mmCIF file of all heavy atoms in Angstrom:
data_model
loop_
_atom_site.group_PDB
_atom_site.id
_atom_site.type_symbol
_atom_site.label_atom_id
_atom_site.label_comp_id
_atom_site.label_asym_id
_atom_site.label_seq_id
_atom_site.Cartn_x
_atom_site.Cartn_y
_atom_site.Cartn_z
ATOM 1 N N LEU N 298 107.354 183.348 293.349
ATOM 2 C CA LEU N 298 108.679 183.980 293.235
ATOM 3 C C LEU N 298 109.072 184.610 294.571
ATOM 4 O O LEU N 298 108.310 185.387 295.151
ATOM 5 C CB LEU N 298 108.662 185.059 292.161
ATOM 6 C CG LEU N 298 109.962 185.874 292.042
ATOM 7 C CD1 LEU N 298 111.078 185.051 291.436
ATOM 8 C CD2 LEU N 298 109.738 187.143 291.224
ATOM 9 N N ILE N 299 110.251 184.270 295.049
ATOM 10 C CA ILE N 299 110.791 184.885 296.261
ATOM 11 C C ILE N 299 112.107 185.557 295.880
ATOM 12 O O ILE N 299 112.992 184.910 295.311
ATOM 13 C CB ILE N 299 111.081 183.809 297.337
ATOM 14 C CG1 ILE N 299 109.820 183.022 297.694
ATOM 15 C CG2 ILE N 299 111.707 184.446 298.581
ATOM 16 C CD1 ILE N 299 108.726 183.834 298.343
ATOM 17 N N ASP N 300 112.232 186.838 296.168
ATOM 18 C CA ASP N 300 113.488 187.519 295.879
ATOM 19 C C ASP N 300 114.397 187.401 297.085
ATOM 20 O O ASP N 300 114.144 187.989 298.130
ATOM 21 C CB ASP N 300 113.226 188.983 295.528
ATOM 22 C CG ASP N 300 112.436 189.098 294.235
ATOM 23 O OD1 ASP N 300 112.804 188.405 293.269
ATOM 24 O OD2 ASP N 300 111.447 189.852 294.197
ATOM 25 N N THR N 301 115.460 186.630 296.932
ATOM 26 C CA THR N 301 116.383 186.404 298.047
ATOM 27 C C THR N 301 117.460 187.492 298.042
ATOM 28 O O THR N 301 117.712 188.115 297.011
ATOM 29 C CB THR N 301 117.036 185.009 297.908
ATOM 30 O OG1 THR N 301 117.598 184.889 296.611
ATOM 31 C CG2 THR N 301 116.002 183.917 298.110
ATOM 32 N N PRO N 302 118.076 187.752 299.188
ATOM 33 C CA PRO N 302 119.010 188.875 299.285
ATOM 34 C C PRO N 302 120.311 188.636 298.531
ATOM 35 O O PRO N 302 120.731 187.500 298.335
ATOM 36 C CB PRO N 302 119.274 188.975 300.790
ATOM 37 C CG PRO N 302 119.049 187.601 301.297
ATOM 38 C CD PRO N 302 117.947 187.033 300.471
ATOM 39 N N ILE N 303 120.937 189.746 298.133
ATOM 40 C CA ILE N 303 122.240 189.671 297.474
ATOM 41 C C ILE N 303 123.354 189.872 298.497
ATOM 42 O O ILE N 303 124.398 189.238 298.421
ATOM 43 C CB ILE N 303 122.295 190.695 296.323
ATOM 44 C CG1 ILE N 303 121.420 190.174 295.175
ATOM 45 C CG2 ILE N 303 123.734 190.907 295.842
ATOM 46 C CD1 ILE N 303 121.200 191.135 294.064
ATOM 47 N N PHE N 304 123.133 190.728 299.481
ATOM 48 C CA PHE N 304 124.055 190.801 300.629
ATOM 49 C C PHE N 304 123.697 189.650 301.555
ATOM 50 O O PHE N 304 122.567 189.597 302.045
ATOM 51 C CB PHE N 304 123.858 192.092 301.422
ATOM 52 C CG PHE N 304 124.311 193.328 300.714
ATOM 53 C CD1 PHE N 304 123.443 194.396 300.567
ATOM 54 C CD2 PHE N 304 125.600 193.447 300.226
ATOM 55 C CE1 PHE N 304 123.861 195.561 299.937
ATOM 56 C CE2 PHE N 304 126.018 194.612 299.585
ATOM 57 C CZ PHE N 304 125.142 195.671 299.444
ATOM 58 N N THR N 305 124.623 188.742 301.807
ATOM 59 C CA THR N 305 124.255 187.605 302.643
ATOM 60 C C THR N 305 125.241 187.389 303.792
ATOM 61 O O THR N 305 126.388 187.824 303.748
ATOM 62 C CB THR N 305 124.184 186.290 301.832
ATOM 63 O OG1 THR N 305 125.461 186.042 301.266
ATOM 64 C CG2 THR N 305 123.161 186.383 300.743
ATOM 65 N N THR N 306 124.757 186.687 304.795
ATOM 66 C CA THR N 306 125.549 186.432 305.989
ATOM 67 C C THR N 306 126.061 185.003 306.029
ATOM 68 O O THR N 306 126.973 184.693 306.781
ATOM 69 C CB THR N 306 124.683 186.647 307.242
ATOM 70 O OG1 THR N 306 123.510 185.826 307.125
ATOM 71 C CG2 THR N 306 124.268 188.093 307.382
ATOM 72 N N ILE N 307 125.432 184.110 305.225
ATOM 73 C CA ILE N 307 125.792 182.711 305.343
ATOM 74 C C ILE N 307 126.415 182.164 304.069
ATOM 75 O O ILE N 307 126.238 182.709 302.989
ATOM 76 C CB ILE N 307 124.564 181.848 305.723
ATOM 77 C CG1 ILE N 307 123.460 182.056 304.705
ATOM 78 C CG2 ILE N 307 124.105 182.184 307.122
ATOM 79 C CD1 ILE N 307 122.266 181.195 304.963
ATOM 80 N N VAL N 308 127.175 181.096 304.247
ATOM 81 C CA VAL N 308 127.908 180.488 303.140
ATOM 82 C C VAL N 308 127.077 179.357 302.555
ATOM 83 O O VAL N 308 126.613 178.497 303.277
ATOM 84 C CB VAL N 308 129.252 179.917 303.637
ATOM 85 C CG1 VAL N 308 129.988 179.198 302.523
ATOM 86 C CG2 VAL N 308 130.100 181.033 304.220
ATOM 87 N N GLY N 309 126.904 179.355 301.244
ATOM 88 C CA GLY N 309 126.126 178.292 300.620
ATOM 89 C C GLY N 309 126.988 177.247 299.955
ATOM 90 O O GLY N 309 126.730 176.052 300.033
ATOM 91 N N GLU N 310 128.028 177.664 299.295
ATOM 92 C CA GLU N 310 128.750 176.725 298.431
ATOM 93 C C GLU N 310 130.192 176.465 298.844
ATOM 94 O O GLU N 310 130.757 175.442 298.538
ATOM 95 C CB GLU N 310 128.737 177.253 296.992
ATOM 96 C CG GLU N 310 127.346 177.306 296.373
ATOM 97 C CD GLU N 310 126.744 175.930 296.151
ATOM 98 O OE1 GLU N 310 127.495 174.996 295.830
ATOM 99 O OE2 GLU N 310 125.527 175.800 296.306
ATOM 100 N N GLY N 311 130.810 177.404 299.511
ATOM 101 C CA GLY N 311 132.226 177.213 299.823
ATOM 102 C C GLY N 311 132.867 178.562 300.047
ATOM 103 O O GLY N 311 132.632 179.492 299.289
ATOM 104 N N GLU N 312 133.684 178.642 301.089
ATOM 105 C CA GLU N 312 134.170 179.948 301.519
ATOM 106 C C GLU N 312 135.173 180.589 300.572
ATOM 107 O O GLU N 312 135.298 181.808 300.521
ATOM 108 C CB GLU N 312 134.796 179.828 302.913
ATOM 109 C CG GLU N 312 133.760 179.765 304.010
ATOM 110 C CD GLU N 312 134.406 179.564 305.367
ATOM 111 O OE1 GLU N 312 134.878 180.562 305.921
ATOM 112 O OE2 GLU N 312 134.426 178.422 305.850
ATOM 113 N N GLN N 313 135.897 179.758 299.807
ATOM 114 C CA GLN N 313 136.941 180.313 298.950
ATOM 115 C C GLN N 313 136.352 181.156 297.827
ATOM 116 O O GLN N 313 137.057 181.906 297.179
ATOM 117 C CB GLN N 313 137.790 179.205 298.301
ATOM 118 C CG GLN N 313 138.170 178.067 299.189
ATOM 119 C CD GLN N 313 137.103 176.983 299.164
ATOM 120 O OE1 GLN N 313 135.915 177.271 299.232
ATOM 121 N NE2 GLN N 313 137.548 175.747 299.070
ATOM 122 N N THR N 314 135.090 180.956 297.533
ATOM 123 C CA THR N 314 134.530 181.581 296.346
ATOM 124 C C THR N 314 133.652 182.788 296.667
ATOM 125 O O THR N 314 132.810 183.167 295.884
ATOM 126 C CB THR N 314 133.699 180.550 295.556
ATOM 127 O OG1 THR N 314 132.568 180.176 296.343
ATOM 128 C CG2 THR N 314 134.517 179.325 295.227
ATOM 129 N N LEU N 315 133.870 183.392 297.813
ATOM 130 C CA LEU N 315 133.028 184.510 298.223
ATOM 131 C C LEU N 315 133.616 185.856 297.853
ATOM 132 O O LEU N 315 134.807 186.084 298.012
ATOM 133 C CB LEU N 315 132.870 184.478 299.749
ATOM 134 C CG LEU N 315 132.053 183.337 300.314
ATOM 135 C CD1 LEU N 315 132.219 183.294 301.826
ATOM 136 C CD2 LEU N 315 130.608 183.505 299.937
ATOM 137 N N PHE N 316 132.768 186.761 297.415
ATOM 138 C CA PHE N 316 133.153 188.156 297.278
ATOM 139 C C PHE N 316 132.751 188.849 298.561
ATOM 140 O O PHE N 316 131.571 188.884 298.911
ATOM 141 C CB PHE N 316 132.424 188.816 296.113
ATOM 142 C CG PHE N 316 133.032 188.517 294.780
ATOM 143 C CD1 PHE N 316 132.353 187.728 293.866
ATOM 144 C CD2 PHE N 316 134.271 189.032 294.438
ATOM 145 C CE1 PHE N 316 132.908 187.462 292.628
ATOM 146 C CE2 PHE N 316 134.829 188.763 293.202
ATOM 147 C CZ PHE N 316 134.156 187.974 292.303
ATOM 148 N N GLU N 317 133.724 189.390 299.271
ATOM 149 C CA GLU N 317 133.397 190.058 300.521
ATOM 150 C C GLU N 317 133.152 191.541 300.261
ATOM 151 O O GLU N 317 133.836 192.139 299.441
ATOM 152 C CB GLU N 317 134.545 189.882 301.511
ATOM 153 C CG GLU N 317 134.135 190.175 302.939
ATOM 154 C CD GLU N 317 135.234 189.794 303.920
ATOM 155 O OE1 GLU N 317 135.327 188.609 304.279
ATOM 156 O OE2 GLU N 317 136.000 190.691 304.310
ATOM 157 N N VAL N 318 132.167 192.086 300.954
ATOM 158 C CA VAL N 318 131.927 193.528 300.863
ATOM 159 C C VAL N 318 131.909 194.118 302.272
ATOM 160 O O VAL N 318 131.600 193.434 303.246
ATOM 161 C CB VAL N 318 130.587 193.859 300.163
ATOM 162 C CG1 VAL N 318 130.647 193.500 298.707
ATOM 163 C CG2 VAL N 318 129.417 193.146 300.828
ATOM 164 N N ASP N 319 132.285 195.366 302.330
ATOM 165 C CA ASP N 319 132.301 196.070 303.608
ATOM 166 C C ASP N 319 130.930 196.711 303.818
ATOM 167 O O ASP N 319 130.599 197.701 303.171
ATOM 168 C CB ASP N 319 133.409 197.132 303.571
ATOM 169 C CG ASP N 319 133.442 197.957 304.849
ATOM 170 O OD1 ASP N 319 132.611 197.708 305.751
ATOM 171 O OD2 ASP N 319 134.285 198.855 304.943
ATOM 172 N N TYR N 320 130.146 196.114 304.697
ATOM 173 C CA TYR N 320 128.790 196.595 304.909
ATOM 174 C C TYR N 320 128.764 197.454 306.169
ATOM 175 O O TYR N 320 128.549 196.957 307.266
ATOM 176 C CB TYR N 320 127.840 195.400 305.039
ATOM 177 C CG TYR N 320 126.376 195.754 304.967
ATOM 178 C CD1 TYR N 320 125.777 195.996 303.734
ATOM 179 C CD2 TYR N 320 125.592 195.832 306.115
ATOM 180 C CE1 TYR N 320 124.437 196.304 303.652
ATOM 181 C CE2 TYR N 320 124.247 196.142 306.034
ATOM 182 C CZ TYR N 320 123.680 196.384 304.796
ATOM 183 O OH TYR N 320 122.344 196.693 304.719
ATOM 184 N N PHE N 321 129.021 198.755 306.002
ATOM 185 C CA PHE N 321 129.102 199.696 307.132
ATOM 186 C C PHE N 321 130.017 199.160 308.231
ATOM 187 O O PHE N 321 129.663 199.205 309.411
ATOM 188 C CB PHE N 321 127.714 199.984 307.709
ATOM 189 C CG PHE N 321 126.738 200.521 306.707
ATOM 190 C CD1 PHE N 321 125.647 199.756 306.303
ATOM 191 C CD2 PHE N 321 126.918 201.784 306.151
ATOM 192 C CE1 PHE N 321 124.748 200.255 305.369
ATOM 193 C CE2 PHE N 321 126.021 202.283 305.219
ATOM 194 C CZ PHE N 321 124.929 201.524 304.818
ATOM 195 N N GLY N 322 131.139 198.611 307.815
ATOM 196 C CA GLY N 322 132.094 198.141 308.801
ATOM 197 C C GLY N 322 132.000 196.667 309.132
ATOM 198 O O GLY N 322 132.908 196.105 309.726
ATOM 199 N N THR N 323 130.907 196.014 308.742
ATOM 200 C CA THR N 323 130.751 194.584 308.974
ATOM 201 C C THR N 323 131.005 193.841 307.669
ATOM 202 O O THR N 323 130.487 194.248 306.631
ATOM 203 C CB THR N 323 129.317 194.248 309.436
ATOM 204 O OG1 THR N 323 129.021 195.071 310.556
ATOM 205 C CG2 THR N 323 129.174 192.779 309.793
ATOM 206 N N PRO N 324 131.805 192.783 307.703
ATOM 207 C CA PRO N 324 131.992 192.035 306.455
ATOM 208 C C PRO N 324 130.774 191.177 306.120
ATOM 209 O O PRO N 324 130.318 190.394 306.946
ATOM 210 C CB PRO N 324 133.224 191.172 306.753
ATOM 211 C CG PRO N 324 133.287 191.051 308.231
ATOM 212 C CD PRO N 324 132.600 192.231 308.817
ATOM 213 N N LEU N 325 130.259 191.384 304.922
ATOM 214 C CA LEU N 325 129.194 190.516 304.399
ATOM 215 C C LEU N 325 129.715 189.982 303.076
ATOM 216 O O LEU N 325 130.785 190.375 302.624
ATOM 217 C CB LEU N 325 127.919 191.325 304.151
ATOM 218 C CG LEU N 325 127.107 191.786 305.356
ATOM 219 C CD1 LEU N 325 125.827 192.441 304.865
ATOM 220 C CD2 LEU N 325 126.763 190.615 306.268
ATOM 221 N N HIS N 326 128.943 189.098 302.446
ATOM 222 C CA HIS N 326 129.361 188.718 301.103
ATOM 223 C C HIS N 326 128.216 188.686 300.128
ATOM 224 O O HIS N 326 127.051 188.685 300.512
ATOM 225 C CB HIS N 326 130.150 187.408 301.103
ATOM 226 C CG HIS N 326 129.656 186.407 302.072
ATOM 227 N ND1 HIS N 326 130.281 186.159 303.271
ATOM 228 C CD2 HIS N 326 128.581 185.596 302.025
ATOM 229 C CE1 HIS N 326 129.612 185.229 303.920
ATOM 230 N NE2 HIS N 326 128.585 184.878 303.191
ATOM 231 N N LEU N 327 128.595 188.709 298.849
ATOM 232 C CA LEU N 327 127.597 188.698 297.781
ATOM 233 C C LEU N 327 127.077 187.275 297.603
ATOM 234 O O LEU N 327 127.828 186.307 297.748
ATOM 235 C CB LEU N 327 128.207 189.201 296.474
ATOM 236 C CG LEU N 327 128.756 190.626 296.511
ATOM 237 C CD1 LEU N 327 129.347 191.000 295.153
ATOM 238 C CD2 LEU N 327 127.650 191.619 296.884
ATOM 239 N N ALA N 328 125.801 187.165 297.290
ATOM 240 C CA ALA N 328 125.135 185.863 297.252
ATOM 241 C C ALA N 328 125.759 184.915 296.236
ATOM 242 O O ALA N 328 125.993 185.275 295.089
ATOM 243 C CB ALA N 328 123.664 186.053 296.936
ATOM 244 N N GLN N 329 126.034 183.684 296.681
ATOM 245 C CA GLN N 329 126.455 182.610 295.779
ATOM 246 C C GLN N 329 125.242 181.783 295.408
ATOM 247 O O GLN N 329 125.289 180.959 294.507
ATOM 248 C CB GLN N 329 127.404 181.645 296.487
ATOM 249 C CG GLN N 329 128.663 182.227 297.002
ATOM 250 C CD GLN N 329 129.277 181.244 297.969
ATOM 251 O OE1 GLN N 329 128.634 180.882 298.958
ATOM 252 N NE2 GLN N 329 130.483 180.809 297.695
ATOM 253 N N THR N 330 124.217 181.904 296.187
ATOM 254 C CA THR N 330 122.998 181.130 296.004
ATOM 255 C C THR N 330 121.915 181.722 296.893
ATOM 256 O O THR N 330 122.223 182.314 297.924
ATOM 257 C CB THR N 330 123.222 179.649 296.385
ATOM 258 O OG1 THR N 330 121.944 178.985 296.455
ATOM 259 C CG2 THR N 330 123.870 179.505 297.757
ATOM 260 N N GLY N 331 120.655 181.563 296.490
ATOM 261 C CA GLY N 331 119.559 182.026 297.342
ATOM 262 C C GLY N 331 118.940 180.874 298.106
ATOM 263 O O GLY N 331 117.966 181.048 298.840
ATOM 264 N N GLN N 332 119.542 179.701 297.929
ATOM 265 C CA GLN N 332 118.909 178.456 298.358
ATOM 266 C C GLN N 332 118.503 178.395 299.826
ATOM 267 O O GLN N 332 117.390 178.008 300.149
ATOM 268 C CB GLN N 332 119.852 177.291 298.056
ATOM 269 C CG GLN N 332 119.297 175.955 298.477
ATOM 270 C CD GLN N 332 120.415 174.986 298.763
ATOM 271 O OE1 GLN N 332 121.359 174.923 298.008
ATOM 272 N NE2 GLN N 332 120.303 174.250 299.841
ATOM 273 N N LEU N 333 119.413 178.782 300.716
ATOM 274 C CA LEU N 333 119.102 178.613 302.139
ATOM 275 C C LEU N 333 117.909 179.481 302.534
ATOM 276 O O LEU N 333 117.044 179.061 303.297
ATOM 277 C CB LEU N 333 120.328 178.922 303.002
ATOM 278 C CG LEU N 333 121.618 178.164 302.669
ATOM 279 C CD1 LEU N 333 122.606 178.260 303.817
ATOM 280 C CD2 LEU N 333 121.401 176.719 302.305
ATOM 281 N N TYR N 334 117.870 180.690 301.976
ATOM 282 C CA TYR N 334 116.724 181.571 302.228
ATOM 283 C C TYR N 334 115.456 180.977 301.622
ATOM 284 O O TYR N 334 114.367 181.047 302.192
ATOM 285 C CB TYR N 334 116.984 182.944 301.641
ATOM 286 C CG TYR N 334 118.161 183.652 302.269
ATOM 287 C CD1 TYR N 334 119.396 183.647 301.649
ATOM 288 C CD2 TYR N 334 118.030 184.306 303.489
ATOM 289 C CE1 TYR N 334 120.489 184.284 302.226
ATOM 290 C CE2 TYR N 334 119.107 184.946 304.075
ATOM 291 C CZ TYR N 334 120.335 184.934 303.446
ATOM 292 O OH TYR N 334 121.402 185.559 304.026
ATOM 293 N N LEU N 335 115.671 180.377 300.434
ATOM 294 C CA LEU N 335 114.545 179.808 299.697
ATOM 295 C C LEU N 335 113.909 178.642 300.465
ATOM 296 O O LEU N 335 112.695 178.449 300.428
ATOM 297 C CB LEU N 335 115.062 179.319 298.343
ATOM 298 C CG LEU N 335 114.194 179.482 297.118
ATOM 299 C CD1 LEU N 335 113.591 180.863 297.029
ATOM 300 C CD2 LEU N 335 115.030 179.190 295.880
ATOM 301 N N GLU N 336 114.749 177.878 301.173
ATOM 302 C CA GLU N 336 114.228 176.748 301.941
ATOM 303 C C GLU N 336 113.231 177.226 302.989
ATOM 304 O O GLU N 336 112.205 176.580 303.226
ATOM 305 C CB GLU N 336 115.372 175.979 302.618
ATOM 306 C CG GLU N 336 116.173 175.132 301.657
ATOM 307 C CD GLU N 336 117.275 174.359 302.373
ATOM 308 O OE1 GLU N 336 116.972 173.661 303.354
ATOM 309 O OE2 GLU N 336 118.442 174.476 301.950
#
Side-chain angles (χ1 to χ4, degrees):
Chain N
L298 175 72
I299 302 296
D300 295 314
T301 52
I303 287 171
F304 290 127
T305 60
T306 55
I307 56 177
V308 176
E310 295 293 325
E312 282 177 81
Q313 318 88 316
T314 66
L315 291 169
F316 280 112
E317 197 172 277
V318 291
D319 177 0
Y320 192 79
F321 303 112
T323 307
L325 287 186
H326 37 257
L327 300 179
Q329 300 165 302
T330 168
Q332 179 206 316
L333 306 196
Y334 297 99
L335 217 46
E336 285 181 53

